[in-house]
Amino acid sequence: MAETRRVALVTGASRGIGRAIAAALGADGLFVAVNYTANEAAATECLAAVKARGGDGVLSRFDVADPAQVDAAIKQLATERGRLDVLVNNAGIAIDGLLLRTKKEDWARTLEVNLSGAFHCCKAAARYLLKSDSGRIVNISSVVGEQGNAGQVSYAAAKAGLIGITKTLARELASRAITVNCVSPGFIETDMTAVHVKGEVRDALIKQIPLGRIGSAEDVAEAVRFLVSPQASYITGQVVRVNGGLLM
Ligand code: NAP
């Protein structure tokens, strides 16, 4: 029997921003598939948080960069639950380096996970979203994709590409009432930034943020939660910035 709750897939939901998005959708009563690749303990903890907030869900382990794994996992989710309404393409990695030190393999992997991963998930999910009366896709881009950042050529290219995917699919899927939007975070407190944004770099960065602080994963999750809600049905093709004013 088809799930009565709306069904969402959040990629990269074991940690950081994805975890907060999954928890927020759980609080709105959605059934949430918590995707991850490696960290099963963290994904299990995220699923518990979804359930604790009144939602329900399931773990879904696959590598977004592998189209065969993506197809199988999305087919299984949509078939078992009888529907798929929301896709949040959040899984991402950053392999940083200045241009001359960026290896071809690092360029390729960064694009495969951050950009091709979203493409594979959109393609696999589209046939199910078309059957929903309120299909939603949200792609997590980055301020780095909008304004560039020295030392992040691959990451910036991938994140800028996500904006292109968003605007194109917004046009392609609009006639079926599916909205497609981007959320573009600034600097957010997660494992990803813990590696790169510390000490003096962190202090200098905070000085550039008008609201005077690094963002939280929940700050981003609240924007996603709104975009997937019925109240956001007339918003599509947009890049919603959650960056404390860093880029206006
Ligand atoms: P994070 O803490 O490093 O978490 C990354 C998540 O992605 C984990 O759940 C990880 O799963 C998953 N993941 C990595 N590679 C994957 C793959 N190939 N297939 C499926 N899942 C994969 O990252 P975050 O800071 O929360 O970032 C989340 C998203 O926001 C990313 O797209 C990032 O680029 C974007 N973003 C972040 C910031 C920021 O300041 N943090 C700013 C702008 C945009 P495992 O736990 O299994 O490894």
Side-chain angles (χ1 to χ4, degrees):
M1 207 173 66
E3 182 69 50
T4 52
R5 302 164 182 253
R6 288 196 300 152
V7 174
L9 168 62
V10 182
T11 67
S14 47
R15 293 182 280 124
I17 293 170
R19 182 196 181 284
I21 294 169
L25 299 192
D28 279 349
L30 276 74
F31 183 96
V32 185
V34 174
N35 162 252
Y36 67 104
T37 37
N39 202 332
E40 180 139 0
T44 304
E45 200 277 322
C46 172
L47 182 56
V50 168
K51 292 182 178 172
R53 285 163 176 77
D56 197 2
V58 68
L59 295 184
S60 181
R61 182 178 197 162
F62 63 89
D63 179 349
V64 294
D66 181 334
Q69 287 185 36
V70 169
D71 286 352
I74 289 181
K75 185 175 181 190
Q76 184 185 357
L77 173 66
T79 307
E80 282 180 6
R81 310 317 311 176
R83 61 191 291 178
L84 178 61
D85 305 276
V86 175
L87 168 64
V88 181
N89 287 307
N90 165 82
I93 56 167
I95 309 175
D96 296 345
L98 294 169
L99 175 65
L100 295 180
R101 291 194 188 152
T102 298
K103 296 187 201 128
K104 273 190 301 221
E105 309 84 80
D106 294 344
W107 163 266
R109 183 65 186 163
T110 305
L111 283 154
E112 273 167 21
V113 174
N114 293 285
L115 185 59
S116 303
F119 166 76
H120 300 319
C121 290
C122 288
K123 196 169 171 191
R127 70 168 68 170
Y128 305 108
L129 295 175
L130 286 168
K131 294 184 194 144
S132 168
D133 55 9
S134 58
R136 299 276 190 271
I137 298 175
V138 179
N139 297 316
I140 307 300
S141 181
S142 167
V143 65
V144 168
E146 295 188 87
Q147 65 173 13
N149 194 26
Q152 291 200 298
V153 64
S154 322
Y155 184 78
K159 291 298 179 183
L162 279 175
I163 296 176
I165 290 182
T166 300
K167 293 184 177 181
T168 299
L169 297 190
R171 292 180 189 279
E172 284 191 18
L173 300 172
S175 65
R176 306 297 288 270
I178 298 173
T179 69
V180 188
N181 291 289
C182 241
V183 168
S184 179
F187 288 88
I188 306 298
E189 205 93 57
T190 67
D191 293 349
M192 187 180 273
T193 41
V195 181
H196 308 281
V197 185
K198 49 190 174 191
E200 287 171 12
V201 175
R202 184 189 165 92
D203 296 342
L205 184 64
I206 290 173
K207 286 201 183 103
Q208 294 173 45
I209 302 172
L211 284 177
R213 67 173 174 89
I214 306 266
S216 70
E218 287 71 24
D219 289 328
V220 181
E222 286 304 320
V224 176
R225 176 189 202 162
F226 173 64
L227 287 171
V228 309
S229 73
Q231 288 73 21
S233 63
Y234 199 56
I235 302 175
T236 197
Q238 303 304 310
V239 179
V240 177
R241 293 174 176 156
V242 182
N243 64 22
L246 178 63
L247 176 68
M248 298 188 185

